[in-house]
Amino acid sequence: MPEPPVPHTRAVAGQKPVKGVFSIDSQQLLGIAGISRASQRIFFYAEQQDEQGRVAIQRLSRAFIPSGTKRFITREQLLTQYQPEPSIYLNKVVPVMRRLEEAVGTADTHRQRQELFAAEFEYKSILRLDEEHVKAAFGLGLTYLERQEKHNADAVFHKIMRIDAAFLPEHKHLYNEFGIQMRKLGMYDEAMRYYSRAYLLCRTDEHLLYNMARTLFEKGRLKSSRAMLGKALRLNAGFPEAKAFLAFLESRERGETLAEPPLEEVAPPVDKPPGALDAPEDPGPQARPTPGV
């Protein structure tokens, strides 16, 4: 069931966006105050989404990782109903999230070097800590594709589709990369599905449109391929690969024998610094008992 709309509370000018760990009494959260029994503190990672004061909150796992479904409340609700926990944020959440990102960098480096079994091990290690880690899930799926394990890759992709955080514009290049690998394996329909997902996240990437045109060409849909190239060139009239590809398609329509241009997919480079998971995981935040009411 979708979350009910959250009334916006406009932030006061000059206020910094809220970001950190907050806690609430479990009885207060469940609306059962007044029952005489011990309760616990429940910890959330909170991050303000906009200037109107809309805040996304996620529960912390025992490994201090934000996980599960995001809920949205107002800044006012957060500051009046929840207790800030700065020490947990600074000493637990920030370090573990940094280590996860470093571990993803290590896994990505293994994959780029074609050390695919090492990459699989690293990605799975991350997903054991945070099963909804978007970059690790994408990386594992790409690893399976590069090993031509279509069944395993498909299972990972279905899981990704259930992760809310996967549908953010910052991840559009990952969908594009999925599409590239699927196209290379002849999985044209699947490739178009992921290119289309990336296109929904960003409609102004000429490289993505070129890759869609490339796949449509291989499916024999020349008119649609030409239309995609037209869109790409309207975004970037000097895009050399798209210009060469379009000239080739137009020559085919005229019955000429222009040499087929190189048709490898193109994508802007994405910086992925290597790193390492260099510290053991801490135990999760321990619930603090509070007296019953």
Side-chain angles (χ1 to χ4, degrees):
M1 179 180 295
E3 291 284 336
V6 177
H8 285 180
T9 303
R10 185 170 295 277
V12 177
Q15 284 184 335
K16 291 184 178 180
V18 174
K19 182 177 181 180
V21 173
F22 292 76
S23 69
I24 189 171
D25 182 272
S26 60
Q27 290 190 10
Q28 181 181 351
L29 180 67
L30 297 173
I32 56 175
I35 298 177
S36 180
R37 65 179 184 183
S39 64
Q40 296 178 328
R41 303 300 297 179
I42 299 176
F43 297 87
F44 291 87
Y45 174 74
E47 186 169 358
Q48 187 168 328
Q49 305 295 297
D50 52 39
E51 294 181 356
Q52 283 68 44
R54 186 168 176 261
V55 178
I57 62 172
Q58 279 182 292
R59 287 190 65 164
L60 287 185
S61 71
R62 292 190 62 81
F64 296 100
I65 297 168
S67 61
T69 303
K70 286 184 179 180
R71 294 196 300 114
F72 294 92
I73 61 176
T74 64
R75 177 190 176 103
E76 181 180 354
Q77 287 173 314
L78 179 71
L79 298 181
T80 57
Q81 299 176 17
Y82 293 73
Q83 176 180 325
E85 303 283 356
S87 63
I88 290 179
Y89 176 65
L90 294 173
N91 299 325
K92 301 295 184 181
V93 174
V94 170
V96 76
M97 292 176 72
R98 183 179 295 124
R99 290 199 299 271
L100 283 176
E101 288 306 303
E102 291 172 349
V104 170
T106 298
D108 287 343
T109 298
H110 283 307
R111 183 167 59 82
Q112 291 160 6
R113 293 174 178 171
Q114 291 297 297
E115 299 164 354
L116 299 179
F117 288 98
E120 178 189 13
F121 175 82
E122 294 290 348
Y123 288 130
K124 284 185 172 180
S125 296
I126 297 163
L127 291 167
R128 278 194 290 271
L129 291 172
D130 181 4
E131 63 181 12
E132 295 188 347
H133 196 289
V134 176
K135 291 181 181 178
F138 271 108
L140 182 60
L142 288 167
T143 299
Y144 286 140
L145 279 178
E146 291 180 32
R147 286 178 8 199
Q148 300 190 21
E149 298 178 12
K150 297 181 183 180
H151 177 74
N152 286 336
D154 196 51
V156 172
F157 300 151
H158 279 89
K159 180 177 180 179
I160 289 171
M161 290 300 183
R162 297 194 296 269
I163 302 175
D164 291 340
F167 302 105
L168 297 175
E170 66 196 71
H171 296 135
K172 57 102 176 176
H173 69 280
L174 297 173
Y175 286 103
N176 186 38
E177 193 170 352
F178 264 142
I180 290 173
Q181 294 300 327
M182 288 176 165
R183 200 283 306 164
K184 289 180 178 179
L185 292 175
M187 302 167 67
Y188 301 129
D189 291 336
E190 292 88 344
M192 284 302 300
R193 181 172 59 178
Y194 286 95
Y195 285 143
S196 297
R197 177 67 66 180
Y199 183 66
L200 289 175
L201 297 176
C202 179
R203 297 176 182 269
T204 57
D205 187 334
E206 68 272 24
H207 301 87
L208 173 60
L209 291 166
Y210 173 88
N211 292 342
M212 295 172 78
R214 170 77 167 97
T215 304
L216 289 166
F217 171 77
E218 296 211 14
K219 283 171 61 68
R221 296 175 56 185
L222 304 188
K223 185 176 180 180
S224 296
S225 177
R226 196 173 185 277
M228 285 293 175
L229 290 171
K231 288 183 179 181
L233 288 168
R234 282 194 291 275
L235 290 171
N236 180 2
F239 188 5
E241 291 88 353
K243 290 171 68 176
F245 192 5
L246 183 59
F248 167 71
L249 292 181
E250 290 175 342
S251 74
R252 284 174 58 105
E253 291 179 359
R254 295 192 299 267
E256 299 174 0
T257 56
L258 188 66
E260 182 173 325
L263 295 177
E264 283 304 308
E265 289 89 347
V266 293
V270 178
D271 294 329
K272 298 177 182 178
L277 188 60
D278 53 10
E281 294 303 320
D282 294 303
Q286 301 299 314
R288 299 200 300 267
T290 57
V293 178

